[in-house]
Amino acid sequence: MNFAQLLFPDFSLILCGYLVCRFTKLNRPVWEQVESLVYYFLFPVLLFQSIVKNPLDLGAASALVGAAVSLALCAIALTYSLPHWPWLGRCIDVRLHAASAQVGFRFNSFILLALADRIAGPQALLMVAVIIGCCVPIFNVGAVWPMARHANKGFGRELLRNPLIIATASGLLANLLGFSLPDWLAPTVNRIGQASLALGLMAAGAGMQFGSMASAKTLAVAVLAIKHLAMPLMAFGLARLFRLDATQTAVLLTFSAVPTASSCYVLAARMGYNGPYVAGLVTLSTLLGMLSLPFALGVLGGLR
């Protein structure tokens, strides 16, 4: 499989978003509204549709879910441990680590869903939707908890109001109850889903910022190494441990290697932390995804 050709359409949309935002009148304030539209409406509709359109076999999905949740917990634990490494901890500012730790384990759902169908077929969309439903709450807790602890803020309401969690939970419930979209509504929902992927990828590009990271290069290297090297390696090991089939392995490896979530910057800034630094990490993660995805799918996937 030619992974460069496979990944080019999605990363070209990211590049288009970056260029349009930087060199036209469609600047950052415009794309902030686009992000809100995608995050609160278009993307939840896509998640709901991806779950309800195919019957869910919980038994068949249990191994993949187990591997994905294990990967999520391992990545969070590894990222949290950085300040306690004897040779690394003294170089890390604890408050800056609290804001940027999320970059080491969160994922860009837009890119993941855009890649899933081309990498492993339509069934992969259902698998990805289930992974999102199980891992988004875990990752949100992992992202918010260290910042809430240092800033003395709670995070329960933040989790309960997350549109991705609401869409996934309602989709899983509808699937298990046997609900399906009526034929007359399906074309509209499909178009909403297609729009969410294109706009989401362009919004990811528009949000790229090369912020000042010179003051904490060690932390940046450590966090990004966990995201783009350690997570794919852990995913490969977990795929073998849980005896995943070829399609499940491809989905898990893709999940492990996609860039971090673009909303990392929004969360850090909203909670009073160093937003520009986190935005720089998100930008580098988006670029590193062009290396980690071929590594995960081509190199590690070929060793299966």
Side-chain angles (χ1 to χ4, degrees):
M1 183 180 294
N2 187 332
F3 289 103
Q5 185 177 2
L6 180 71
L7 300 173
F8 177 77
D10 297 317
F11 282 98
S12 63
L13 282 174
I14 293 173
L15 177 61
C16 285
Y18 175 80
L19 295 175
V20 168
C21 181
R22 294 300 180 276
F23 300 109
T24 74
K25 293 183 179 180
L26 299 175
N27 53 16
R28 186 63 197 148
V30 173
W31 287 100
E32 287 174 354
Q33 299 303 312
V34 173
E35 286 177 354
S36 296
L37 175 65
V38 173
Y39 185 72
Y40 288 103
F41 175 61
L42 300 180
F43 195 52
V45 171
L46 173 64
L47 280 179
F48 183 86
Q49 181 230 13
S50 298
I51 295 174
V52 301
K53 72 177 182 180
N54 293 306
L56 178 62
D57 186 345
L58 292 178
S62 60
L64 177 60
V65 170
V69 171
S70 299
L71 177 62
L73 295 175
C74 289
I76 291 172
L78 183 58
T79 309
Y80 277 5
S81 72
L82 290 176
H84 305 289
W85 291 15
W87 53 274
L88 185 65
R90 64 178 179 270
C91 302
I92 293 178
D93 178 85
V94 176
R95 183 175 173 84
L96 196 59
H97 171 264
S100 56
Q102 56 177 323
V103 174
F105 51 79
R106 293 181 68 190
F107 64 98
N108 191 307
S109 304
F110 306 137
I111 297 176
L112 179 61
L113 276 167
L115 291 174
D117 183 62
R118 285 198 297 278
I119 288 173
Q123 187 65 19
L125 282 175
L126 177 58
M127 295 181 184
V128 166
V130 173
I131 287 177
I132 289 174
C134 296
C135 291
V136 162
I138 297 172
F139 283 147
N140 282 352
V141 171
V144 174
W145 182 78
M147 285 188 283
R149 183 165 62 91
H150 285 280
N152 296 318
K153 296 181 179 180
F155 58 86
R157 185 177 66 176
E158 194 75 32
L159 298 179
L160 293 176
R161 296 174 60 184
N162 188 294
L164 306 186
I165 295 176
I166 295 172
T168 306
S170 58
L172 289 171
L173 179 62
N175 190 305
L176 295 175
L177 292 176
F179 172 82
S180 60
L181 292 173
D183 293 339
W184 59 268
L185 185 59
T188 300
V189 175
N190 285 332
R191 285 171 172 78
I192 291 175
Q194 293 167 1
S196 74
L197 294 178
L199 288 175
L201 291 169
M202 293 185 70
M208 291 199 300
Q209 299 180 40
F210 294 93
S212 174
M213 292 179 291
S215 60
K217 292 180 181 178
T218 302
L219 176 60
V221 171
V223 168
L224 292 171
I226 290 174
K227 175 59 192 164
H228 292 283
L229 181 60
M231 280 194 72
L233 291 173
M234 289 190 291
F236 176 72
L238 288 167
R240 296 176 68 89
L241 179 64
F242 282 84
R243 299 180 179 179
L244 302 185
D245 61 31
T247 300
Q248 292 172 329
T249 298
V251 169
L252 185 68
L253 288 172
T254 306
F255 168 62
S256 72
V258 292
T260 195
S262 57
S263 58
C264 288
Y265 159 74
V266 177
L267 181 60
R270 188 174 61 200
M271 297 191 71
Y273 285 81
N274 191 336
Y277 179 83
V278 177
L281 291 179
V282 172
T283 298
L284 287 179
S285 177
T286 303
L287 299 175
L288 286 172
M290 290 186 281
L291 299 177
S292 60
L293 281 163
F295 169 70
L297 295 169
V299 178
L300 298 180
L303 296 175
R304 185 181 178 278

